[in-house]
Structure formats: structure tokens, C-alpha cells
Amino acid sequence: MFEHLSALPADPILGLLTKYREDSHPQKVDLGVGVYKDPAGNTPILDCVKTAEKLRTDSETTKVYIGPTGSAPFNELMNELAFGADHPVVQARRIRTVSTPGGTGALRVAAEFIAKCKPGATIWVSDPTWANHTGLFQAAGLTVKTYPYYDYDNKCLKFDEMLAALKQVGAEDAVLLHACCHNPSGQDLSTAQWDAVVEVAKDKGFLPFIDMAYQGFGDGVDEDAYGVRAMAAAVDNMVLASSCSKNFGLYRERIGACSIIGKDSAQADVSLSVLLYVVRCIYSMPPAHGAAIVETILGSNELKAQWLDELKVMRDRINGNRAMLVDKLHALGASRDFSFIARQKGMFSFLGINEAQVNTLMKDYSIYMVGSSRISIAGISEDNVDYLAKSIIAVL
Ligand code: LMR
């Protein structure tokens, strides 16, 4: 049987992890996978997570099955975090949420759910989008098409083209939108642009499917949820995939949430039954540990305040790194204007160099980034920015 298989290339993002680890260059720089790093290059466990974990370990009484919805308190707290406790869809009990294995699990469950609504449905994704979106949606049997998004030449949004394309989307299609911190471009919609997209979604009736993997990494927890909240207030049906990997630093615990909004509570119940069937057929039920940590934090005023502080430290550091790289490139006389990096948001930006230059940076300078020139901003530090900027200038 296995002789029919041919080897597949390594994942374009995760494959960089191995290459970087195997490199012995003393000045190697990791700008690959999107993980937060402190100034020393470590990805620490948040203090609020340490405290919550200890509290849970001490109070946990069983490891019995949790069921396909996962933890009910976690799901509720995640709804409040994403939508706000007073949001009309929360008040009207129109949301049903399941805990999922990470944001990727949420995306896959949502994709399978959409395939149950309409087998082979078309999903429109931004050009470009996270490298794994396309494969993941196709694996669920969806047809993936793209709408214009990032203007590589002018380092901004192709907003008019995006809006024009969305106006052509059919009522039975889904449209994937990034809530904030667009991966890979870092180019987000303004609130006015979100309002315009919401109007089109309402008018055309397509299913908005929002991926919120970085809530709190852009401008703040509430600010980053602007589009999610505006969209949810305006449409009958919506899907949200959220992740606790980055904002709680729970990467390896694999915890996220998939939320479905029905036009009323009865439709939400039907949707949940389908969601539970999907979950049962893939992994039966989600892991519980990450959810237990998050619900302990969000359920305690004190721990939540600590988490918001720690999240701000991460956000400020990323924004500081953006400015630091731009300043350094400018000070060293870069022939190009990189100021767009400081205007963009979240974990990523494109450097805007070609694949040959990316490969040279990797082979000759041990600087690792995705082939598209997407850099993970958290990998920049006071210690490596000089070397990084000089190397970028050398390959320009
Ligand atoms: C990334 O884009 O680097 C992260 O979302 C990690 C991943 O799984 O690709």
C-alpha cells in the first residue's frame, strides 16, 4: 500500500524550525514561525499561566472525558472575550462555541461545518493568506478562491479591489477574513474599512468566516475584535475561529475555539448538533488542559488583569521591534523605504525582497524567513538587529 506514496515537501513555515535548529551559525536569526520571543530569544510561559496552571493542578479531581464541546466555562469566556459580554448575539444566545485543538483545529472544524452546510462550497481567502488556510480548507472539500488584498508594490491594502471582488461573491459562498494582525502581511483593515466590508456581507448574504489568531497583538483585546463584533451585529450567520496559542502563549497546549452564530437560538442549536458530529468524527473531544488554564485566567479579575498586562508587554515589544528595524535600516543607509513595517500590525510583515534574496539570507547569513519574505517580527532583538539590517542591505 505505502509504495503508492510520494514524499511531500516540508511545510513552508514549520519546515523552517528544523533548518534553524540544525544551523550552528553563532549569529543565526529566526524570523520564521510566528511565536513570540522575549529580548533573549526565548518564548517564556506567562506568569498568569504559571499561576493558573498551579491552581488547576491543585484543584483538579478527575481526568474523565470532557465531551465534544470541551469546557463550557471556557467556551463562554471565549465568547465574552471575542464579542464582549453585552454584545447582542451573546445576549440573544445566538452563539454556540466548542473548544478546539488550537486555532488550526477551530479552522478545520469550521471548514467541515461549512462543507456540511453545502458540500464543496466555495471559500474566498485573501491574496495572500496564511499558507495553511488553502490546504486545510481543501482537505475539508471546500473550493478555495482568492480576493485581492495586499498591494506588494505600494505596501498597503488593495481595498477598492477587495471590496469590488466581495461584491461579486455568491450568497452560498464563505469569505475568510482575518480579524487583526493579518498573516502574512500585517496589513489590517481600518474600522471604516471593516464597516464597509460588513455592509457588503449584509447586502450579499455570504457567510463571513473570521479567523482571530492574534487577538491583543495588534492594538488591544477590544480594538482587535472590532471587525468580529461589527460583523456579528450585522449578519444572521457567521463563523469565528479563535486561538489561544499566541495571546496566552499556549502554543503546545493546542487550545482554541470555534463559534457559530445562528440567526436565532434554535438555528444555533441545530448548528451546534452538526458541529458536535463533525468534532466526534475528527478527534472526538478536545484536550482540556489549555482550556482549564484560560478559563482560570479569564474567570479571575486578578489573573485577567495580569494577563492583559503581560499581553501588553508582548504587543509593545513587537511594535518596538518594528520601529527598531525600520530605524536601523534607515540609519545604515538602506536604498529602500521600509517605513511600512512600522505601520503594519501584529506578528508579521513582508520584507518585500524576492525569493532568491530570501535564500541568500538563509544560506549565507543564517537568517530564516518564509520564502515570500514574511518575517516574524518577534524574532528581531536589540542583539541581532544590526546584523539583520546589514544582511538585508547586503542582499538588496
Ligand atoms: C505562523 O503562521 O507562523 C503560525 O501561525 C504558526 C503556524 O502554524 O504556521
Side-chain angles (χ1 to χ4, degrees), residues 190-213:
S190 67
T191 53
Q193 288 168 332
W194 265 113
D195 291 344
V197 171
V198 167
E199 277 310 306
V200 176
K202 211 163 77 175
D203 187 41
K204 304 307 292 182
F206 57 71
L207 177 70
F209 175 178
I210 306 188
D211 183 0
M212 183 154 65

Side-chain angles (χ1 to χ4, degrees), residues 13-14 32-34 130 183 214 246 348 374:
I13 299 174
L14 300 183
V33 183
W130 180 45
N183 179 4
Y214 298 90
K246 329 279 171 168
F348 310 107
R374 186 197 81 166

Side-chain angles (χ1 to χ4, degrees), residues 156 255 264 316 371:
C156 62
I255 181 65
D264 52 34
D316 288 350

